[in-house]
Each structure stands twice: as C-alpha cells, then as structure tokens.
C-alpha cells in the first residue's frame, strides 16, 4: 500500500487500532470493525473528506487498555514505520483506542513526537505537540485521557462489586473451584468422580489415621488425577487444604500475598518501561 511520499500537509499515515473489540460479541465486533474501517477510509486521500494516504494498517489483538507500548506489537510496528521514514504520522479512531490509561497515552504521544511523527485521531484530527505557549492544549488532551481511564476504572469496579455480591449470596463468582466441585453455567456443582475421591481421602485420614504425606503418596501410586490433571502430582499441602480449614485459610492468605506481590512487581515493571520510553 505504500507509495511515493505525499507533501507534509497531507502525510502518509500508519493506521493503528487496539484489539479490545475482541471482547465484544461477534455481531458487535463486526459492527465495530466496520465503523473503524470507515473512520480510517474517510482519512484516505481517495475519499472526498480525505487528503492523507494510509500506507500501512496494524492492529493489536486481545490487548487491554493498560498494555504498555512495547507490549503492543501492532502499535510498535506502526511506530517503526514512522521511525524508518515510511510514514509521517499515526492515525487511530480516537485516543481511547491508543490507550485507556493516561500514562500510556502520554507515553505513546511523546514517543511518536520525539521521532518527528504526527498523531491523528478520526474523531479529533491532529493532536499537536505540547507547546508552552498553549498549556490548555495539553490540559484538554490529558482530560480526555483521564476520563478514558475513569471509564475503564468504573467498569472494573462494577464487575468486581458484581462478583463480590454474587459470592456473598453463595454463588460462584471467580477463582478455580475446589476439588470435588466444578463450574457449570456459572454455578458450582458437585464433580461426581472428584467427590468420591474427596470422601475417600477423608476416610483415610479420619478412619485409618493416615497423614497428609502418606495420603498424597497413596493417591499418586493409585494414579488418581489431581484437579489440574495431566502429569501433576498430589502434594501433602494439597491434601492438607482439602482436610483442614486452617490449612485452607493459610493457603488462601499465602496466595493473596503472592498475588499482591506479583501485582506490585508488574506495577513497578510498567513504571520502569514508561520512564525509559519518556527518556528515549
């Protein structure tokens, strides 16, 4: 699709799209894809409203709005076109499709501008580079980013509260079902085979006085599959969680600490990426 470069007044653009529409139903996804295609085509030099030449189209499939620049292969490819001089600018349907987190939005814009590129969105036009003589320009752009981030945060909040309410009412909300249960139609039901094994394990412990380690060894020797299946082996801690409420609570607390640690590590790693991006 690339051809001779156009004058600076109508630069060839690389069209970048986020793949978050993948979360929509098939009908809505097709409608969104058609709409984004129309938004991109109307900017093409061949259309009545055009004046630009779309030289390359990329998309990031199944990426969240929090993904940093280097985690989005499509966006990085579009930026490489700008870096190599094959495109003069970047076009997206709107800033929301570039990022739904303000720090990521500003990092993308700063990166493209630092390369000498220009950024356009179909709903706004060109997003001009920051200018000390016009601080309102920066403020209004960042306000849009703030509200995109707020919208995403409110959606996550509603989803979390919905799961918590369902769990409080005794329903299945999230997480892997414990051994002996399975999720069907968003409801926890007994898993017949696993239920029988759970009863057998408790009998070994209470009637035969077997310890957790011995029970795990007996299960492995009998070839009884774990919840994960495959080649996964039974461990004493797994057996303990099935038999002891105290061990189960301790395991849940340990898992929560591990999740919090991984979340903090991810937050730090993302911050480091954004800092490195801004200082390039």
């Amino acid at each position: 699709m690339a051809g001779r470069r156009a004058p600076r007044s109508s630069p060839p653009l690389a069209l970048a799209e986020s793949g978050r529409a993948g979360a929509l139903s098939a009908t809505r996804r097709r409608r969104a894809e058609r709409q984004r295609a129309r938004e991109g085509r109307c900017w093409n030099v061949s259309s009545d409203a055009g004046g630009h030449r779309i030289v390359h189209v990329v998309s990031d499939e199944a990426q969240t709005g929090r993904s940093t620049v280097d985690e989005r292969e499509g966006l990085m490819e579009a930026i490489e076109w700008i870096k190599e001089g094959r495109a003069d600018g970047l076009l997206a349907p709107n800033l929301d499709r570039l990022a739904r987190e303000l720090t990521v939005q500003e990092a993308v814009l700063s990166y493209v501008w630092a390369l000498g590129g220009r950024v356009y969105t179909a709903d706004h036009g060109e997003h001009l580079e920051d200018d000390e003589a016009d601080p309102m320009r920066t403020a209004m752009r960042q306000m849009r980013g703030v509200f995109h981030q707020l919208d995403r945060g409110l959606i996550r909040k509603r989803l979390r509260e919905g799961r918590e309410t369902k769990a409080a009412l005794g329903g299945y909300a999230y997480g892997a079902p414990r051994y002996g249960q399975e999720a069907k139609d968003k409801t926890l039901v007994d898993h017949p085979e696993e239920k029988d094994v759970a009863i057998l394990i408790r009998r070994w412990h209470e009637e035969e006085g077997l310890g957790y380690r011995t029970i795990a060894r007996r299960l492995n020797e009998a070839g009884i599959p774990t919840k994960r299946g495959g080649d996964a082996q039974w461990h004493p801690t797994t057996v303990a969680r099935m038999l002891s409420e105290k061990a189960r609570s301790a395991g849940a607390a340990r898992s929560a600490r591990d999740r919090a640690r991984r979340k903090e590590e991810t937050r730090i790693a993302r911050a480091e990426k954004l800092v490195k991006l801004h200082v390039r």
Side-chain angles (χ1 to χ4, degrees), residues 48-63:
D48 294 337
H52 301 267
R53 182 158 46 88
I54 307 299
V55 294
H56 191 53
V57 179
V58 296
S59 63
D60 287 304
E61 300 300 331
Q63 292 289 332

Side-chain angles (χ1 to χ4, degrees), residues 17-19 59-77 79 98-99 101 104 108 111 152 265-274 277 280:
E17 297 181 351
S18 167
S59 63
D60 287 304
E61 300 300 331
Q63 292 289 332
T64 70
R66 294 188 64 188
S67 299
T68 51
V69 179
D70 64 330
E71 294 171 333
R72 295 172 55 183
E73 295 182 1
L75 178 58
M76 286 303 296
E77 183 181 348
I79 291 175
L98 278 182
E101 191 168 276
V104 179
V108 172
Y111 193 12
R152 179 181 178 277
E265 290 174 350
T266 300
R267 187 182 69 83
I268 293 173
R270 293 185 69 252
E272 290 176 347
K273 288 179 180 178
L274 291 173
L277 190 60
R280 285 185 179 180

Side-chain angles (χ1 to χ4, degrees), residues 174-224:
Y174 49 83
R178 69 173 58 181
Y179 194 87
Q181 294 182 314
E182 61 180 335
K184 281 189 175 181
D185 298 325
K186 299 182 180 180
T187 303
L188 282 181
V189 298
D190 288 341
H191 188 294
E193 293 80 5
E194 291 182 356
K195 196 72 174 179
D196 291 341
V197 173
I199 293 173
L200 180 62
I201 290 173
R202 185 164 294 280
R203 184 183 304 148
W204 285 345
H205 181 64
E206 296 178 353
E207 297 181 6
E208 299 184 29
L210 300 183
Y212 304 145
R213 190 175 300 278
T214 304
I215 292 175
R217 184 171 61 250
R218 183 178 287 187
L219 290 167
N220 288 327
E221 291 173 350
I224 296 175

Side-chain angles (χ1 to χ4, degrees), residues 4-272:
R4 192 173 60 185
R5 293 171 62 82
R8 188 63 179 173
S9 60
S10 57
L13 305 177
L15 175 61
E17 297 181 351
S18 167
R20 291 194 300 278
L24 304 176
S25 67
T27 301
R28 291 179 61 200
R29 181 168 62 247
R30 286 194 295 270
R31 187 182 303 124
E33 289 170 351
R34 287 196 297 269
Q35 176 62 25
R36 290 201 299 275
R38 286 195 295 270
E39 290 170 345
R41 281 197 297 271
C42 78
W43 280 70
N44 208 3
V45 69
S46 61
S47 70
D48 294 337
H52 301 267
R53 182 158 46 88
I54 307 299
V55 294
H56 191 53
V57 179
V58 296
S59 63
D60 287 304
E61 300 300 331
Q63 292 289 332
T64 70
R66 294 188 64 188
S67 299
T68 51
V69 179
D70 64 330
E71 294 171 333
R72 295 172 55 183
E73 295 182 1
L75 178 58
M76 286 303 296
E77 183 181 348
I79 291 175
E80 281 298 314
W81 274 63
I82 296 172
K83 187 176 182 180
E84 295 170 2
R86 292 188 287 172
D88 284 342
L90 181 69
L91 168 65
N94 49 54
L95 285 178
D96 177 61
R97 307 311 297 181
L98 278 182
R100 296 191 73 182
E101 191 168 276
L102 180 60
T103 52
V104 179
Q105 169 189 297
E106 293 301 292
V108 172
L109 295 174
S110 297
Y111 193 12
V112 174
W113 288 333
L115 294 173
R118 300 163 73 177
V119 180
Y120 300 81
T121 56
D123 66 340
H124 173 81
E126 182 173 8
H127 293 272
L128 298 174
E129 194 169 352
D130 293 340
D131 185 349
E132 291 183 356
D134 187 8
M136 187 62 72
R137 174 196 303 172
T138 302
M140 295 306 295
R141 183 191 70 241
Q142 291 181 348
M143 282 291 289
R144 284 193 290 272
V146 166
F147 281 104
H148 291 155
Q149 182 171 323
L150 174 62
D151 179 60
R152 179 181 178 277
L154 290 174
I155 291 173
R156 293 182 64 189
K157 179 176 180 289
R158 288 195 296 270
L159 291 173
R160 184 178 64 253
E161 290 177 344
R163 290 193 297 264
E164 291 173 350
T165 299
K166 186 174 182 179
L169 295 174
Y172 172 62
Y174 49 83
R178 69 173 58 181
Y179 194 87
Q181 294 182 314
E182 61 180 335
K184 281 189 175 181
D185 298 325
K186 299 182 180 180
T187 303
L188 282 181
V189 298
D190 288 341
H191 188 294
E193 293 80 5
E194 291 182 356
K195 196 72 174 179
D196 291 341
V197 173
I199 293 173
L200 180 62
I201 290 173
R202 185 164 294 280
R203 184 183 304 148
W204 285 345
H205 181 64
E206 296 178 353
E207 297 181 6
E208 299 184 29
L210 300 183
Y212 304 145
R213 190 175 300 278
T214 304
I215 292 175
R217 184 171 61 250
R218 183 178 287 187
L219 290 167
N220 288 327
E221 291 173 350
I224 296 175
T226 65
K227 188 72 174 178
R228 295 181 180 180
D231 297 329
Q233 296 286 298
W234 287 91
H235 294 278
T237 52
T238 307
V239 177
R241 290 174 187 172
M242 293 178 61
L243 297 172
S244 168
E245 183 64 36
K246 183 178 180 180
R248 187 157 51 247
S249 297
R254 186 162 52 251
S255 296
R257 288 194 299 271
D258 289 342
R259 286 195 299 272
R261 175 181 53 78
R262 289 193 297 270
K263 183 177 180 180
E264 181 65 12
E265 290 174 350
T266 300
R267 187 182 69 83
I268 293 173
R270 293 185 69 252
E272 290 176 347

